[in-house]
Amino acid sequence: MKNNFFEAVKGKLIISCQALPNEPLHSSFIMARMARAAKMAGAAGIRANSVVDIQAIQDEAGLPMIGIAKTDYPDSDVFITPTLKEMRAVAATGVEVVACQVTGQRRPHDEKLAEIVQQFRTEFPNTLLMADTDTIENALEADRLGFDMIGTTMRGYTPATQGMNIADHDFEYLKELRSQVTRPIIAEGKIDTPEKLKRCLELGCHAVVVGGAITRPLEIATRFIEAIK
Amino acid sequence: MKNNFFEAVKGKLIISCQALPNEPLHSSFIMARMARAAKMAGAAGIRANSVVDIQAIQDEAGLPMIGIAKTDYPDSDVFITPTLKEMRAVAATGVEVVACQVTGQRRPHDEKLAEIVQQFRTEFPNTLLMADTDTIENALEADRLGFDMIGTTMRGYTPATQGMNIADHDFEYLKELRSQVTRPIIAEGKIDTPEKLKRCLELGCHAVVVGGAITRPLEIATRFIEAIK
């Protein structure tokens, strides 16, 4: 039986608590405290990167989690939980959802998404899978491969979608996506105001992930500095 | 000779990095990392609370600092560096500026502001003093007592100013304040958007302090949650 992740986050905010090694807040201790802040504010779930951060946050917050493992491989531009190895490591933490990049690009070691998803399902039948997609085409592919939820995470971050923002034209992309995929949609990526969060839910997204606008002070401070340059 | 704090922060952003014991990010380690983020973004100075946080941030960021020591006393509502004891402790860290509350309220042990300022000047002739004020009347009193800069920090946080926000009516209060006081004004308190920061500088404030909107994820996340309640 699948866990009750969908029920727990329906119509709610999931906060992404991430700081990569080159970021000023890189530290599992700090990410756990960020998750504490998220929980105190009323977040329904947490998205986190790396096994150590996920474990620190599980201990701290006890909220449903989407786990990822960002990993760079020299032979691929796919970096969000890109291979079966990272999928296994993240799932082994016990997170409710493992998210991986589904952007139609060649994967490390030329792994085939259909194959690793099938293998993952055999090994972790109770773990949900989220697809971090960039286009309708790739979202439909994730749908076909049986991903449990479709994220918009990668829109604007692939060569095919450079310069795009899901908020463009009152979230035109979200409306189109919703008319085409059958799985629940998790809006994610550049959602940086309370108004955008609200609008994504109004448009029928199952839940929304907000990250940098809440948990990346460098990113927030940069917007203030830009205003007075 | 006074330090060159005024030159360093003129027309710029000072970021307040604070987390009290009841806040999720309470930790000198985390505040130092926040200050790192602030510096990376281009902040010109840091405001911080407590001797341990100040010292951790000095080691990390090497930026000009405004130091405070929030302390509750049972016999007074004045809590920002309220007595000579806290003023000395903060100044001893070597911060460029010590800020204390100037709101016309009775101070702990019934200390008199004019007397402790005079004593402080004798002991720390090279440390600047900032007044955290709430009204024109108290700003003028700070001016008379020789504070080096006038902050708007307490506006909206005293019985006399409850519900007020310095941004009301296009910062009407700031315009009035500027027409009446002679010392440089440091805008601080509820400045939560890049647009407000910019406007404060346009209106002639010497520098602007932004805190919660950048460094308090609980406060930021709460605004997102409020939008979908």
Side-chain angles (χ1 to χ4, degrees):
Chain A
M1 205 193 78
K2 293 283 183 184
N3 59 59
N4 65 357
F5 176 83
F6 286 114
E7 195 182 324
V9 304
K10 187 175 166 58
K12 294 188 176 162
L13 172 64
I14 296 166
I15 295 183
S16 183
C17 301
Q18 298 184 42
L20 299 175
N22 63 338
E23 292 184 70
L25 300 194
H26 181 65
S27 149
S28 296
F29 169 70
I30 299 178
M31 288 307 103
R33 292 295 195 89
M34 278 288 178
R36 184 189 294 184
K39 186 179 186 178
M40 286 170 73
I46 303 289
R47 174 163 161 136
N49 172 51
S50 84
V51 167
V52 286
D53 280 10
I54 290 167
Q55 290 174 331
I57 291 171
Q58 285 172 321
D59 289 348
E60 169 67 43
L63 286 174
M65 287 189 73
I66 301 170
I68 61 173
K70 289 181 176 170
T71 313
D72 290 323
Y73 283 90
D75 62 340
S76 172
D77 291 331
V78 177
F79 67 97
I80 300 181
T81 331
T83 78
L84 184 58
K85 179 181 164 189
E86 289 86 31
M87 292 171 72
R88 283 172 170 149
V90 172
T93 65
V95 286
E96 287 74 7
V97 184
V98 172
C100 25
Q101 187 170 337
V102 180
T103 48
Q105 295 157 293
R106 183 176 181 278
R107 303 187 87 80
H109 320 320
D110 211 16
E111 282 189 358
K112 301 304 174 198
L113 190 58
E115 291 170 16
I116 63 177
V117 165
Q118 191 177 24
Q119 180 62 29
F120 182 85
R121 292 297 196 190
T122 312
E123 297 178 25
F124 298 95
N126 296 319
T127 306
L128 297 168
L129 280 175
M130 170 172 169
D132 287 353
T133 65
D134 60 338
T135 62
I136 301 281
E137 182 190 1
N138 291 318
L140 288 172
E141 171 69 2
D143 225 5
R144 273 192 298 274
L145 291 176
F147 276 83
D148 300 289
M149 63 200 89
I150 309 295
T152 58
T153 321
M154 291 301 296
R155 187 153 186 92
Y157 296 100
T158 56
T161 62
Q162 213 171 356
M164 296 180 189
N165 186 313
I166 59 165
D168 292 341
H169 312 293
D170 188 29
F171 293 93
E172 186 179 41
Y173 175 71
L174 271 190
K175 297 172 195 165
E176 176 67 17
L177 184 64
R178 205 162 127 64
S179 74
Q180 297 218 30
V181 302
T182 58
R183 318 278 171 159
I185 294 169
I186 310 291
E188 178 171 3
K190 307 181 181 179
I191 298 164
D192 54 8
T193 67
E195 294 68 33
K196 289 184 189 173
L197 159 64
K198 189 175 175 218
R199 189 71 183 128
C200 289
L201 292 174
E202 285 170 356
L203 292 174
C205 292
H206 188 85
V208 180
V209 179
V210 175
I214 295 173
T215 61
R216 281 194 161 106
L218 169 55
E219 192 175 297
I220 304 167
T222 299
R223 283 207 294 272
F224 279 83
I225 296 281
E226 290 293 333
I228 57 169
K229 256 187 181 157
Chain B
M1 205 192 79
K2 293 282 183 183
N3 58 60
N4 65 357
F5 176 83
F6 286 114
E7 195 182 322
V9 304
K10 186 174 167 58
K12 295 188 175 161
L13 172 64
I14 296 166
I15 296 183
S16 183
C17 300
Q18 297 184 42
L20 299 176
N22 63 339
E23 292 184 69
L25 300 194
H26 181 65
S27 150
S28 297
F29 169 71
I30 299 178
M31 289 306 104
R33 291 295 196 89
M34 278 288 178
R36 184 189 294 185
K39 186 180 186 178
M40 287 171 73
I46 304 289
R47 175 163 160 136
N49 172 50
S50 85
V51 167
V52 286
D53 281 10
I54 290 167
Q55 290 173 331
I57 291 172
Q58 285 173 319
D59 288 348
E60 169 66 43
L63 286 174
M65 288 189 70
I66 300 169
I68 61 173
K70 289 182 176 171
T71 313
D72 289 324
Y73 283 89
D75 62 340
S76 171
D77 291 330
V78 177
F79 68 97
I80 300 181
T81 330
T83 78
L84 184 58
K85 180 181 162 187
E86 289 85 32
M87 291 172 72
R88 283 171 170 150
V90 172
T93 65
V95 286
E96 286 74 5
V97 183
V98 172
C100 26
Q101 187 171 338
V102 180
T103 48
Q105 294 156 294
R106 184 178 179 279
R107 304 187 86 80
H109 321 319
D110 212 16
E111 283 188 357
K112 301 305 175 198
L113 190 57
E115 290 169 16
I116 62 176
V117 164
Q118 190 176 26
Q119 180 62 30
F120 182 85
R121 292 299 196 187
T122 311
E123 296 179 26
F124 298 94
N126 296 318
T127 305
L128 298 168
L129 280 175
M130 170 172 169
D132 287 351
T133 66
D134 60 338
T135 62
I136 301 281
E137 182 190 1
N138 291 318
L140 288 172
E141 172 69 2
D143 225 6
R144 272 192 297 273
L145 291 175
F147 276 82
D148 301 289
M149 65 199 87
I150 309 296
T152 57
T153 321
M154 292 301 296
R155 188 152 185 94
Y157 296 99
T158 56
T161 62
Q162 214 172 354
M164 296 180 190
N165 186 313
I166 60 165
D168 290 343
H169 312 293
D170 188 29
F171 293 93
E172 185 179 42
Y173 176 71
L174 271 190
K175 296 172 196 168
E176 176 67 17
L177 184 63
R178 204 162 127 64
S179 74
Q180 298 216 30
V181 302
T182 57
R183 317 279 171 159
I185 295 169
I186 310 291
E188 177 171 5
K190 307 182 181 179
I191 298 164
D192 55 8
T193 67
E195 294 69 34
K196 288 183 190 173
L197 159 64
K198 189 174 175 220
R199 189 71 183 128
C200 289
L201 292 175
E202 285 170 354
L203 292 174
C205 291
H206 187 85
V208 180
V209 178
V210 175
I214 295 173
T215 62
R216 281 192 160 108
L218 169 56
E219 193 175 297
I220 303 167
T222 299
R223 283 208 294 271
F224 278 84
I225 297 281
E226 290 293 332
I228 57 171
K229 254 187 183 158

